[in-house]
């Protein structure tokens, strides 16, 4: 009887040991509650991205030596202080862990919001995109990420599915009938107040000619030669005339046609765009546009010296001409809506994550930023 009891104890111990082993080999989750499950690989993916961001900040520091690749004489930057784009300063290792945790909690908030709004994803599109991602995974990403513990499923979930869910939740929140629906009138006003539409074309005020090589090599050299004063004056007169025509309400298409005919230009040289107004832009064309009124055209010469100058005809098209296209759901409406509300939605997700009081799995504690350095050493 005693021997049987001993055997039973051994068997029970073995069962418990095997059970524990089975648990340790089961799939780990960074977060698992109700119908939301985030594999640990998603957390590692965010950790990996945060590590790379932190490294880029560290390399902007005066302590970084580009020649040796060292940080204040050390191979690792994890213990040094970094400053991110928001001006936040922290020890790199702590910043990485905090950023990965924040991104993982945001992923939980995204799925929660997606479910609450009754959103769905197109399975056909998922399957098609998954095949596309898989080809890139097999070509290079698997070799890069698998050693860190990131599977293709986690890679696809973090890289495509979650952003797709966020996009659908955003449209459901602010689209027609949504809890925070933006009216057509509000969207139109935002577009008119914050966007600019412009077109321009340019001509070189120099010619490029073959030059003699002074070093005796067989390679062909070239140099820019400024146009004659008379030719530059001709361009200036013509471009000023084009600008006056447009500012008086003339047709841009007619102006371009006139320019192309006179200067034997075979293809339409126009560059055109509709974009957010950037009051702090340092681009010369954009700075010119910001000084103009809708419907106005100007001539501007840009270049550091006579051998690089170009003359531009810049036209700030009335933004009214683009309202229909940029408030149309089938064209650019979602782009304008995103520009208008993306910060509000980000704040909404952060607030939701805080209200949910999300606690990540203890499994996350097992993965340190240093793993990315250790794996590289192997």
């Amino acid at each position: 009887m005693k021997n049987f009891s001993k055997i039973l104890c051994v068997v029970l111990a073995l069962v418990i040991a095997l059970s524990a082993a089975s648990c340790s080999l089961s799939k780990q989750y960074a977060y698992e509650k109700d119908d939301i499950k985030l594999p640990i690989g998603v957390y590692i993916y965010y950790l990996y991205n945060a590590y790379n961001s932190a490294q880029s900040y560290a390399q902007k520091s005066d302590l970084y030596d580009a020649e040796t690749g060292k940080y204040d004489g050390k191979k690792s930057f994890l213990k040094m202080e970094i400053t991110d784009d928001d001006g936040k300063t922290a020890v790199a290792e702590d910043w990485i862990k905090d950023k990965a945790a924040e991104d993982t909690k945001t992923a939980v908030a995204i799925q929660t919001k997606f479910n609450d709004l009754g959103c769905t994803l197109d399975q056909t599109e998922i399957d098609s995109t998954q095949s596309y991602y898989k080809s890139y995974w097999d070509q290079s990403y698997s070799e890069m990420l698998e050693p860190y513990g990131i599977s293709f499923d986690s890679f696809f979930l973090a890289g495509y599915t979650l952003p797709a869910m966020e996009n659908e939740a955003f449209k459901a929140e602010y689209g027609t009938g949504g809890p925070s629906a933006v009216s057509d009138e509000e969207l139109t006003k935002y577009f008119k107040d914050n966007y600019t539409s412009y077109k321009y074309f340019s001509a070189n005020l120099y010619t490029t000619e073959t030059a003699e090589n002074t070093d005796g090599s067989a390679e062909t050299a070239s140099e820019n030669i400024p146009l004659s004063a008379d030719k530059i004056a001709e361009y200036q007169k013509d471009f000023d005339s084009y600008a006056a025509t447009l500012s008086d309400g003339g047709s841009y298409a007619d102006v371009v046609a006139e320019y192309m005919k006179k200067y034997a230009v075979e293809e339409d040289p126009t560059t055109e765009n509709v974009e957010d107004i950037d009051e702090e832009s340092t681009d010369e064309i954009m700075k010119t546009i910001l000084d103009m009124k809708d419907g106005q055209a100007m001539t501007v010469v840009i270049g550091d010296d006579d051998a690089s100058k170009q003359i531009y005809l810049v036209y700030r098209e009335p933004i009214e001409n683009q309202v229909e296209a940029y408030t149309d759901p089938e064209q650019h409406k979602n782009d304008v809506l995103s520009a208008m509300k993306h910060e509000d939605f980000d704040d909404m997700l952060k607030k939701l994550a805080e209200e949910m009081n999300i606690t990540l799995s203890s499994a996350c504690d097992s993965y340190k930023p240093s793993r990315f350095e250790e794996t590289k050493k192997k």
Side-chain angles (χ1 to χ4, degrees):
M1 190 70 176
K2 290 181 180 180
N3 288 336
F4 176 77
S5 297
K6 289 181 180 180
I7 293 172
L8 182 59
C9 289
V10 171
V11 171
L12 288 173
L14 181 59
V15 170
I16 293 171
L18 289 173
S19 177
S22 175
C23 290
S24 66
L25 293 173
S26 63
K27 188 170 184 178
Q28 289 184 310
Y29 289 96
Y31 180 87
E32 181 180 15
K33 187 176 181 181
D34 300 328
D35 58 344
I36 297 178
K37 295 181 179 180
L38 286 179
I40 194 65
V42 170
Y43 173 80
I44 303 172
Y45 178 85
Y46 290 141
L47 196 71
Y48 175 74
N49 286 342
Y51 173 90
N52 288 321
S53 295
Q55 186 175 48
S56 69
Y57 296 136
Q59 290 176 349
K60 294 177 183 178
S61 168
D62 293 337
L63 298 178
Y64 176 65
D65 185 340
E67 290 187 8
T68 64
K70 293 185 177 181
Y71 308 84
D72 197 20
K74 300 180 179 66
K75 291 183 179 180
S76 174
F77 65 88
L78 293 178
K79 298 301 181 183
M80 71 178 284
E81 283 195 339
I82 59 171
T83 301
D84 63 21
D85 290 336
D86 294 326
K88 178 183 177 181
T89 298
V91 173
E93 188 174 33
D94 296 334
W95 185 93
I96 294 168
K97 289 188 289 187
D98 289 345
K99 184 68 170 66
E102 178 186 338
D103 288 348
T104 307
K105 290 178 181 179
T106 298
V108 175
I110 288 171
Q111 291 192 68
T112 301
K113 191 71 176 174
F114 179 89
N115 293 339
D116 289 348
L117 291 170
C119 299
T120 58
L121 294 179
D122 186 328
Q123 189 59 49
T124 301
E125 186 172 337
I126 291 176
D127 293 341
S128 174
T129 307
Q130 193 169 39
S131 298
Y132 177 78
Y133 268 66
K134 188 64 166 65
S135 65
Y136 278 96
W137 174 263
D138 292 338
Q139 289 173 21
S140 59
Y141 284 103
S142 61
E143 185 177 346
M144 183 192 310
L145 300 179
E146 278 186 333
Y148 301 136
I150 303 170
S151 68
F152 171 74
D153 288 344
S154 293
F155 169 72
F156 186 70
L157 177 58
Y160 171 77
T161 307
L162 284 165
M165 294 174 76
E166 181 178 6
N167 185 51
E168 289 302 315
F170 175 87
K171 290 189 293 185
E173 180 70 31
Y174 296 105
T176 303
S180 308
V182 175
S183 68
D184 291 341
E185 292 76 18
E186 290 173 314
L187 192 70
T188 298
K189 183 179 186 309
Y190 176 85
F191 178 71
K192 288 182 178 180
D193 291 345
N194 293 278
Y195 279 72
T196 182
S197 176
Y198 60 89
K199 301 177 180 179
Y200 66 83
F201 61 85
S202 65
N204 296 335
L205 296 181
Y206 60 85
T207 59
T208 302
E209 300 181 1
T210 302
E212 291 185 7
N213 253 326
T214 57
D215 60 4
S217 69
E219 293 183 6
T220 302
S222 63
E223 62 178 330
N224 293 340
I225 308 296
L227 298 179
S228 66
D230 288 345
K231 192 64 177 177
I232 291 175
E234 181 182 354
Y235 269 110
Q236 186 73 51
K237 180 182 178 181
D238 286 340
F239 273 56
D240 285 345
S241 175
Y242 302 150
T245 297
L246 290 173
S247 295
D248 288 341
S251 162
Y252 179 84
D254 290 346
V255 165
V256 172
E258 182 180 343
Y259 164 73
M260 292 176 66
K261 181 178 180 180
K262 177 170 182 178
Y263 289 94
V265 177
E266 296 182 357
E267 295 184 6
D268 189 336
T270 300
T271 295
E272 58 185 310
N273 202 3
V274 178
E275 60 182 272
D276 287 338
I277 297 173
D278 182 1
E279 300 288 352
E280 298 180 0
S281 176
T282 58
D283 179 79
E284 291 297 329
I285 297 296
M286 183 53 68
K287 287 196 293 185
T288 300
I289 292 167
L290 291 175
D291 289 336
M292 298 162 61
K293 298 177 180 178
D294 276 8
Q296 183 180 0
M298 288 180 64
T299 302
V300 59
V301 175
I302 300 174
D304 296 329
D305 53 51
D306 290 342
S308 66
K309 287 182 178 178
Q310 294 175 292
I311 187 168
Y312 286 80
L313 174 73
V314 184
Y315 175 51
R316 180 162 176 168
E317 181 187 32
I319 197 63
E320 290 280 356
N321 295 355
Q322 298 291 345
V323 167
E324 183 176 351
Y326 280 80
T327 55
D328 183 348
E330 298 300 321
Q331 297 188 61
H332 304 291
K333 178 178 180 179
N334 287 334
D335 296 333
V336 179
L337 192 58
S338 178
M340 181 180 182
K341 289 295 184 179
H342 77 273
E343 289 186 3
D344 290 348
F345 194 60
D346 287 346
D347 291 340
M348 186 181 295
L349 291 175
K350 289 178 182 178
K351 183 178 179 181
L352 177 59
E354 291 173 359
E355 291 174 348
M356 292 176 66
N357 195 25
I358 298 168
T359 301
L360 300 184
S361 164
S362 59
C364 296
D365 298 332
S366 303
Y367 299 91
K368 313 293 183 184
S370 57
R371 75 186 285 103
F372 305 119
E373 295 180 341
E374 292 165 357
T375 306
K376 288 177 181 177
K377 293 176 184 177
K378 293 179 180 179

